[in-house]
Amino acid sequence: MAAAVVAAVARRLVALEQPLARGAPPPWTRGVFMGERQGMGGIRETGTLQVRSRKRGEGSTMGRPDMTSEMPAHHRALQQLSEKLAAPLSGIVGDMAGGPVQALRERSARLRKGADLRKQEEVFEASRRFLMEPETWTFGNMAAYQRKVLELAGATGWRRRISSDEPSILHLEKELRVLEAMTPTELMSNHKSVFTPESKKLIAEKAGTTVKYVDQVIMEHDILRADRRWYKILTQFGRPLPKTFEDRQFMGEYDRPFSEAEMEYQEQMLDKHRLK
């Protein structure tokens, strides 16, 4: 047993010593940040960092309620918003055609691409700052975060910059309705254990949605809490933070801690495969 452990450690050290391409993930690893459940539906962050192996080519369980490797619905809506906010910058020389203005068109396209990227980075950084502001990630703080994101996107007030029919806006507003339908006790909690099947039905009825969607919002809360832990770890060790939602998705594939919901899903899948 001891010999096997020593051999495994030796293999890991050899793998870590191999040169990596710029921006490449560590070989087959992903961090898992664990917490301890407290009373009143809370989670205490213990700071324990573990490492789980994952073979190359395997999809991650990060993200959506169906746990595919796609971007979580909340983050996908924010990315679409950032692209929408950058879109007005793209109409400067769009109608010019051919001839002597070709060089001007190409230069305009390069500048437009850079401006779009900067705008997306600004939106991501602002949303990350909103996410990190609360000391404890309760459902009430998630509702406050949603309001700030909608205000940032210009989706509130009489001077709104984005149409109310925009799907990303509709998604974020629907999430906010679910959060606003929760009771004060539920809003003060930072863990899904505070919800019962009956309370989820009441929330869904009040928000005009389904219990499945309520479960999705509760899971998004858990995913965002894992994002908070990840950003704290990156900051603590002086490592670069994601700059866009695409960066967050790519870096998260190999470096982001699992959320509690994602870990539970993995256990369910392992149990399912054991039974086969």
Side-chain angles (χ1 to χ4, degrees):
M1 184 68 163
V5 172
V6 171
V9 172
R11 286 195 300 271
R12 177 57 60 84
L13 291 176
V14 170
L16 292 176
E17 289 174 358
Q18 298 299 317
L20 295 175
R22 183 178 178 83
W28 310 326
T29 61
R30 177 171 179 176
V32 183
F33 196 90
M34 306 293 291
E36 294 178 358
R37 184 176 299 182
Q38 293 178 323
M40 300 297 293
I43 288 286
R44 181 171 67 87
E45 298 177 1
T46 63
T48 305
L49 184 64
Q50 299 179 350
V51 174
R52 282 195 175 183
S53 296
R54 192 181 72 199
K55 296 180 180 178
R56 295 179 186 269
E58 291 182 352
S60 80
T61 58
M62 194 180 77
R64 300 167 55 194
D66 58 0
M67 292 298 180
T68 69
S69 58
E70 295 183 24
M71 187 179 293
H74 176 83
H75 295 81
R76 190 164 59 252
L78 290 179
Q79 182 187 20
Q80 292 169 355
L81 267 184
S82 66
E83 293 171 352
K84 196 76 174 179
L85 290 172
L89 300 174
S90 64
I92 302 174
V93 201
D95 295 331
M96 293 186 177
V101 299
Q102 183 63 32
L104 178 61
R105 292 184 62 196
E106 293 176 355
R107 180 176 181 275
S108 175
R110 290 195 299 270
L111 293 174
R112 186 166 63 243
K113 184 177 180 180
D116 290 354
L117 179 60
R118 285 194 298 274
K119 188 63 179 179
Q120 292 180 34
E121 290 177 352
E122 289 173 6
V123 173
F124 177 83
E125 178 56 28
S127 67
R128 190 189 69 82
R129 188 172 64 251
F130 296 155
L131 180 67
M132 300 304 293
E133 281 179 359
E135 183 176 351
T136 306
W137 186 239
T138 63
F139 287 92
N141 284 331
M142 181 180 177
Y145 156 83
Q146 293 279 92
R147 296 186 189 100
K148 291 179 180 179
V149 168
L150 286 168
E151 183 178 355
L152 169 71
T156 59
W158 64 274
R159 297 181 65 182
R160 61 190 305 155
R161 290 176 288 168
I162 297 181
S163 169
S164 58
D165 296 331
E166 173 65 28
S168 54
I169 291 292
L170 294 175
H171 178 84
L172 294 174
E173 289 178 340
K174 189 175 180 181
E175 287 183 340
L176 182 57
R177 286 200 304 272
V178 170
L179 293 166
E180 290 176 338
M182 295 178 182
T183 65
T185 300
E186 291 164 347
L187 290 172
M188 290 174 61
S189 176
N190 71 337
H191 192 259
K192 63 182 180 180
S193 61
V194 73
F195 300 101
T196 64
E198 291 75 18
S199 66
K200 291 179 183 178
K201 290 179 182 178
L202 291 173
I203 292 171
E205 183 179 349
K206 187 175 180 181
T209 186
T210 62
V211 173
K212 182 178 180 180
Y213 192 83
V214 173
D215 283 330
Q216 178 179 323
V217 173
I218 294 172
M219 177 171 287
E220 293 287 358
H221 174 273
D222 193 45
I223 290 172
L224 288 170
R225 179 169 57 200
D227 282 357
R228 279 167 50 93
R229 293 171 181 167
W230 181 34
Y231 297 148
K232 288 178 182 178
I233 292 171
L234 293 177
T235 302
Q236 179 181 352
F237 290 97
R239 296 170 57 189
L241 291 163
K243 291 186 177 181
T244 65
F245 292 101
E246 289 183 350
D247 285 351
R248 180 254 175 214
Q249 180 69 7
F250 171 74
M251 295 171 64
E253 286 293 322
Y254 64 86
D255 194 44
R256 173 186 168 277
F258 285 109
S259 69
E260 182 181 0
E262 291 161 348
M263 292 172 62
E264 289 176 354
Y265 177 82
Q266 276 204 334
E267 294 300 326
Q268 292 173 6
M269 291 298 99
L270 289 173
D271 292 340
K272 183 178 180 180
H273 286 294
R274 290 192 195 103
L275 295 175
K276 288 184 178 180

